[in-house]
Each structure stands twice: as structure tokens, then as C-alpha cells.
Amino acid sequence: MYRTHNCGELCKKDIGKEVILSGWIQKIRNLGSLFFIDIRDYFGITQLIFPKERVNISLGKEFLIKVIGKVVERLSKNYNIYTGEIEILVSHLEILNYSSPIPFSIENKTDGNEEIRMRYRYLDLRRNPIKNNLILRHDIALETRNFLSKNGFLEIETPILINETPEGARSFVVPSRTHVGKFYALSQSPQLFKQLLMIGGIDKYFQIVKCFRDEDARSDRQIEFTQIDCEMSFVEVNDVLIFFEHFVKHLFKKMKNIQLDPFPCISYYDAIKMYGTDSPDIRFDMSFIELNDLVQKKNINFLKEQELVIGIKVTKCNNIHDKINFFLKKIKNKNFLWIQYLLDKTFLYSKQNFMNKEFLKILVKRFQAKPGDLLFISFGKKRKTREILGKIRLEIAHYLNLINYKIFKPLWIIDLPLFEWEEKFKRYKAVHHPFTSPKEEDIHLLEKSPEHIRSKSYDLIINGIEIGGGSIRIHNKNIQNIIFKHLGLSTKEIESKFGFFIKAFEYGTPPHGGIAFGLDRFMNLLEGNDNIKNFIAFPKNNYGQDMMINAPSFLKDEKLKELHLR
């Protein structure tokens, strides 16, 4: 028998029991006549004590040991852990396995950098922060399955090896040994298959699914990632938003005991207009105020020729102009100015030669500014100006500690454009994916003005991070064919890549729609972390490499020949 109890369950009521424990040595403390060892397993830590003469073997950190002993009351208690009131008076110790010197400390706060911890990931998993993240991931997956199942969703697995389809990112390809010269692609998402499930009469589907995209990895993105993927029949946009708002609120309440407010809903165009981004952080205000009319009316020379003049107000920022100057030096674009409205109702401002007191007072009125407020004004081409001020807005919020990191502010962004123009290839590409339905009122623009079409799409943004996205799908064969052609696909390519899918539309395709949530990114947000690798058991680094198993790697010539690649 390796253990009668685990290392996290013994407490004061167990005093006097004879027990057997097995685990790894966390710490060793030699106090002369007495020897103390902290032994650790998956469940926790227990302190061992025995006279030094009983230790006739050499021990080291991460040795795996088995001990037999008696539970006794601990003199120097540690109330930070469950087992902190007891210790085990050891009568027998056995080494189950030895450990080489460890490359980094197995502690909550380790001295190991990311590279070394990924190389020895199996050791990193022993640390509580990583272990607890994986436990939380399990709990969220379980809660997701229970919630969706109780609401009529059926969990169905879809293929991983599929044909390559134009979904926006590069696909990983897999050569076929038995079909010479042909390749599979690893699925970027279950998109087509979940739509086919709806055509097949499945009412509601979900899957916690691995997806693969051959793109640059980074702290919030991996080349293989996990989605909570969902689809529903006979729904419109509001049906999806209402249900999945309820779903997200349920997870926050269940996992973190956080009650979220109702999710506001704004259009893509309003998000860009108000915040300069389609994923705004609304934990703080500072929405854009347009100033073109004011500039024209007051004939402000250096601004009236600009395509767009907009600004933001930062409240209660008196006497910080020195900090602001330091902050602004980091911004490469110089098409902006700032005005500090001081407590004595005088002004400090950049671009001294272009300001006059009358205009400053008019600006104060437009912004409804109060003494102590700080105004930022950006100008130039519309798109770039909004983009720059959006970044300034976010940087200022971080720099001036305006963000409450303990709160979560979700919102839906709806009505994203159906297409965007790719100048490099002289063609349109889908903003979401090629199967997203246009809004009915915009369908008449399909032939002549596709760039102005709004889609029945929606993204869930929480604290400025895109957590999920989806759309109502096209269920009309003719509209789907027109969309494909706008994306530059010929009739032959449509038939080759999507013939099976278009054919399915001929058999009574129901209206349907869905959404997918990034599980890794959702957990990262929920825990206030800054790296999704901490929530994946065996992640890749930012170059798409597995440092532990040394993947990707070269294949031998024999294998390449077998796959017809030589």
C-alpha cells in the first residue's frame, strides 16, 4: 500500500492515527537532533518529523518517498494550509524514486523563466499555480457540458482531418500516404460540419474542440487552441445573444461568484466611432467627442483642413502634465494635442502657437470639462485618427491607473461588415467567415456595393478582449454562391471546395446560427493572467515550438518517401 491518506487531508481530528503517505519532498530542514520534511502530492503538503538518527540515507528535493508514521499535534502551527495543525512522526521511510537536481524551484513563485519551465513542463505542472489552473479548466469544461446539456445541446465530435478551406488563417496540412499527392488539412474550426449538423436536423450542438491555425503564436494565441463551439437551429441574432449572455453569466457566478451586469450591445460602426476599436474596454468611460463642426465654425487654421478631429476627456487629472509629456514621447504619431484645465481655471497645453483662450473655453464647454480635467485631441485621416486615439485612450487608462482590474464589463459588438477589401489581392475577404449571413436590409447591396453590407454577426468583448464570436449563417444557396464569388472563387473552385456544402442547401436548410468561445483566452481573462500558456497543460512557445518534445522536427528520408514528399 502506497498511502492510506493523501498529503492534503489530515487534520487535528486525525491525531493518534497510524498513516501511510507518499509524495515528493518539497523542503528539508535539518535542526540538529530533529529532521523536518515537507512532503507534497497533488492534494497538498504535510510536514514530517523524525529524529536524525532514523535518517540513514541521503535525501534531496523532489525525491519520491513513502513514509509510515503517527499523526501528532504540531507545535509550530501553520494556519495557511489545511494540514498546518498536525505533523507525522515518522517510523519508517522508503525512497520510491530518486530525483536529479531540479532545474528550477517547485514553488508558487518560481525562479524558472518561461523557456526552462516549458522545457521541463512536467515539473512545472507540480507547482500549485499551474495545477490549480488545470483544475479550474476542468471545472469550467464540466460546468459548460452540464449547462449546455441541460439546455438541450447535444455534444458531437466533428472531424479534425478535413479539406483546406479559405477561413482566413493558414491551415496546417497533412500529406496522405495512401492518396499520392493529396493532403488533409487540420480543422481551423468545426464551422462547416456544425452547419451540416443543423441541416441534418440536430437542433442544438456543442463541442469543446481543438482547432489549429498556422499563424504566429503569442501570449494570447496558440497555433492549437480550444473552443467552446455551439450552433442552434431556428434562431435569430437576439436568440443567440440572450442565451449566451445567460451562459457567460452562469460561468462567472459558478466559478468566481461574480454577478455580471446586463451586457450592452453596440454596433461595430458605433464602437469604431466611439472608441476607435471593435473590441473596446468599457471599464472606464472616455468615449470620443467629435469636433469637426467646432473647428470649422471657429476657423482654427491648423485643424480645419483635417478629415477628422476628435477628442477624449480624462477627469480629475490635475498637475500631471509632466507625466503626460513623458507618456506622449512613446507615441510615434504626432497628430494630437493635449490641454490641461487647471484648478484655477487656467490652461496648460501643447502646440502653444495654435491655441487661443476663446477656443480653449469653447472646448471646455463642448467636453463639459471641469477644473482638473485633461483633454486629448487627435486629428488626421478618419480611420487612422480613431485608431491612434483609441490606443492613447487605453494607454492613458493604464498609465493613470483608471482601470478597476477587479471588475468585468462585457459587451456585444454586432453588425460587423460582411467584407473588407484586400488591396494586395484586389479582392474582398470575409470579416468573420464566408458563411456569415448579410442583414436582410443590406442584401440589395450584394451586387453593386458589397463593402457597405452589414452582417448578422456578433463578438463578445470583455474588458477589451474578444472572448467569443459568431453569426447567423447563410441558409440560401444563391446568396452563398454570390458571397463565394465576391471572395474571388470561381465556379469550379466553389464546386471543388464546397460542392457538398452547397448541395446540402437543396434539402431544406433551416435558419441557424452559433458562436464559439476561446476557452484558453476565457480562462486567462477570468484569472486576470497575462499568458494563456499558464492554462494549457503542454503549450507551444511564441514560435510555435514544443520545447519539451522538440517539435516540430525533421523527418527521415524514408518517411518522406513513404509520404511521397521525396
Side-chain angles (χ1 to χ4, degrees):
M1 183 182 293
Y2 287 112
R3 59 188 182 188
T4 57
H5 299 77
N6 65 57
C7 296
E9 68 175 301
L10 296 170
C11 59
K12 205 168 182 179
K13 66 179 177 60
D14 298 302
I15 290 174
K17 289 182 179 178
E18 287 287 333
V19 297
I20 304 172
L21 300 180
S22 292
W24 291 271
I25 293 177
Q26 174 89 12
K27 289 180 181 178
I28 300 173
R29 296 184 298 281
N30 184 350
L31 300 185
S33 60
L34 289 176
F35 222 74
F36 291 89
I37 290 178
D38 287 347
I39 185 176
R40 181 196 71 245
D41 65 6
Y42 172 86
F43 302 96
I45 292 176
T46 299
Q47 181 169 285
L48 312 177
I49 181 173
F50 37 91
K52 189 173 182 180
E53 60 267 17
R54 290 191 183 171
V55 184
N56 53 13
I57 51 176
S58 178
L59 298 173
K61 286 187 176 182
E62 299 307 309
F63 278 37
L64 186 65
I65 61 172
K66 169 186 169 182
V67 297
I68 300 173
K70 185 177 181 180
V71 182
V72 297
E73 186 170 2
R74 185 168 167 173
L75 294 178
S76 177
K77 295 180 175 56
N78 179 0
Y79 295 105
N80 294 319
I81 59 174
Y82 184 77
T83 61
E85 292 185 90
I86 60 94
E87 57 194 4
I88 309 301
L89 182 59
V90 175
S91 57
H92 174 78
L93 184 150
E94 177 186 349
I95 296 177
L96 298 178
N97 223 325
Y98 295 86
S99 174
S100 297
I102 54 177
F104 57 87
S105 59
I106 313 296
E107 302 282 354
N108 288 355
K109 292 185 178 180
T110 181
D111 54 2
N113 60 33
E114 183 177 277
E115 180 179 344
I116 197 73
R117 289 188 293 110
M118 289 185 69
R119 194 176 298 279
Y120 296 91
R121 185 62 168 180
Y122 45 86
L123 294 179
D124 204 25
L125 293 174
R126 295 181 186 177
R127 296 194 308 116
N128 281 333
I130 304 298
K131 179 193 73 177
N132 292 338
N133 286 344
L134 295 181
I135 293 171
L136 178 62
R137 185 186 181 102
H138 162 80
D139 291 342
I140 289 177
L142 184 62
E143 195 59 42
T144 294
R145 284 191 165 92
N146 289 339
F147 182 90
L148 293 176
S149 299
K150 287 176 183 176
N151 281 277
F153 284 75
L154 190 64
E155 184 172 13
I156 302 174
E157 292 180 350
T158 54
I160 295 297
L161 292 173
I162 63 170
N163 273 337
E164 186 181 24
T165 56
E167 293 192 53
R170 293 187 192 91
S171 296
F172 284 100
V173 293
V174 181
S176 171
R177 177 183 57 82
T178 55
H179 301 278
V180 181
K182 293 186 177 181
F183 295 81
Y184 299 101
L186 297 183
S187 175
Q188 292 188 30
S189 80
Q191 185 61 46
L192 291 178
F193 292 98
K194 67 179 180 177
Q195 290 191 243
L196 291 167
L197 287 171
M198 300 301 104
I199 295 172
I202 303 299
D203 193 66
K204 297 184 184 75
Y205 139 96
F206 84 96
Q207 184 179 187
I208 300 176
V209 59
K210 276 280 190 181
C211 301
F212 307 87
R213 293 182 184 175
D214 186 7
E215 56 188 7
D216 295 336
R218 55 191 186 208
S219 62
D220 66 344
R221 184 170 67 189
Q222 288 268 293
I223 58 175
E224 56 175 315
F225 56 96
T226 305
Q227 286 186 176
I228 301 171
D229 197 64
C230 308
E231 198 79 4
M232 310 162 75
S233 286
F234 303 106
V235 291
E236 265 299 349
V237 170
N238 281 344
D239 301 312
V240 178
L241 300 193
I242 289 169
F243 178 82
F244 285 102
E245 177 174 333
H246 180 44
F247 167 67
V248 172
K249 284 180 173 178
H250 174 80
L251 288 184
F252 268 87
K253 183 65 177 176
K254 192 78 175 180
M255 297 296 112
K256 290 292 183 181
N257 197 28
I258 293 173
Q259 184 67 51
L260 296 176
D261 293 331
F263 298 5
C265 188
I266 65 174
S267 75
Y268 167 87
Y269 298 95
D270 284 341
I272 297 296
K273 185 177 180 180
M274 295 165 60
Y275 302 106
T277 176
D278 59 358
S279 52
D281 190 337
I282 58 170
R283 285 174 293 179
F284 54 99
D285 190 14
M286 291 165 55
S287 56
F288 296 174
I289 296 172
E290 300 205 3
L291 303 168
N292 281 65
D293 62 324
L294 199 63
V295 167
Q296 294 295 331
K297 184 177 179 181
K298 294 303 174 183
N299 198 29
I300 307 302
N301 290 333
F302 81 105
L303 291 176
K304 70 179 183 180
E305 303 300 326
Q306 304 295 333
E307 190 173 288
L308 180 67
V309 184
I310 51 176
I312 55 174
K313 176 179 71 175
V314 188
T315 59
K316 300 177 182 178
C317 290
N318 195 50
N319 295 328
I320 63 163
H321 52 278
D322 291 335
K323 290 184 179 180
I324 292 299
N325 276 328
F326 175 78
F327 159 73
L328 292 177
K329 287 177 182 178
K330 300 190 297 182
I331 301 174
K332 294 179 181 179
N333 186 288
K334 300 303 178 186
N335 283 5
F336 62 86
L337 56 92
W338 60 265
I339 302 162
Q340 176 78 66
Y341 188 24
L342 300 175
L343 294 177
D344 62 2
K345 297 189 177 182
T346 59
F347 300 95
L348 286 173
Y349 45 86
S350 57
K351 299 192 184 294
Q352 301 284 333
N353 298 334
F354 300 103
M355 291 294 180
N356 60 66
K357 288 185 178 180
E358 181 189 359
F359 183 57
L360 290 170
K361 289 178 180 178
I362 292 169
L363 283 176
V364 164
K365 187 174 181 181
R366 170 62 64 91
F367 280 94
Q368 297 182 343
K370 296 179 180 178
D373 290 351
L374 178 68
L375 311 180
F376 271 89
I377 296 172
S378 184
F379 51 88
K381 295 290 184 181
K382 285 185 179 179
R383 185 168 182 171
K384 192 67 176 176
T385 298
R386 287 198 171 98
E387 181 184 319
I388 290 295
L389 191 59
K391 291 178 180 177
I392 290 175
R393 172 184 179 269
L394 196 58
E395 288 287 344
I396 288 173
H398 285 293
Y399 192 71
L400 299 180
N401 298 316
L402 303 179
I403 300 174
N404 185 343
Y405 291 95
K406 294 181 179 180
I407 65 172
F408 296 88
K409 288 287 185 179
L411 81 157
W412 292 108
I413 302 294
I414 61 170
D415 298 350
L416 283 82
L418 192 65
F419 298 112
E420 64 181 354
W421 181 252
E422 285 189 300
E423 187 61 34
K424 180 180 178 180
F425 301 106
K426 302 297 181 184
R427 69 185 182 197
Y428 292 104
K429 74 171 184 177
V431 171
H432 254 253
H433 54 60
F435 319 107
T436 300
S437 176
K439 292 176 73 76
E440 279 85 357
E441 56 267 40
D442 289 354
I443 287 178
H444 69 281
L445 300 171
L446 264 175
E447 295 294 348
K448 294 184 178 179
S449 302
E451 68 274 10
H452 294 129
I453 299 174
R454 296 165 298 165
S455 66
K456 289 185 176 181
S457 58
Y458 31 82
D459 288 337
L460 178 63
I461 311 299
I462 304 180
N463 296 357
I465 299 169
E466 183 185 333
I467 296 302
S471 66
I472 301 301
R473 322 305 186 186
I474 298 165
H475 65 279
N476 178 287
K477 175 180 177 179
N478 295 330
I479 292 176
Q480 185 65 78
N481 275 321
I482 293 171
I483 298 296
F484 282 149
K485 287 176 180 177
H486 277 310
L487 297 175
L489 296 176
S490 66
T491 302
K492 185 177 180 180
E493 286 175 316
I494 294 171
E495 178 59 32
S496 171
K497 293 179 181 292
F498 301 107
F500 71 97
F501 186 61
I502 295 296
K503 185 67 177 176
F505 277 37
E506 298 175 6
Y507 298 96
T509 300
H512 59 285
I515 192 168
F517 300 93
L519 178 59
D520 315 302
R521 193 176 289 183
F522 178 75
M523 293 198 55
N524 200 42
L525 170 84
L526 199 64
E527 287 296 283
N529 209 286
D530 59 0
N531 195 332
I532 64 172
K533 299 184 192 75
N534 293 326
F535 300 92
I536 301 171
F538 299 101
K540 306 289 189 292
N541 68 10
N542 286 358
Y543 301 98
Q545 298 170 305
D546 188 316
M547 304 292 290
M548 182 180 65
I549 65 173
N550 196 29
S553 59
F554 293 105
L555 293 178
K556 292 182 177 180
D557 282 347
E558 304 91 82
K559 189 66 177 177
L560 293 173
K561 287 175 184 177
E562 183 183 351
L563 295 170
H564 315 289
L565 297 175
R566 272 282 191 270

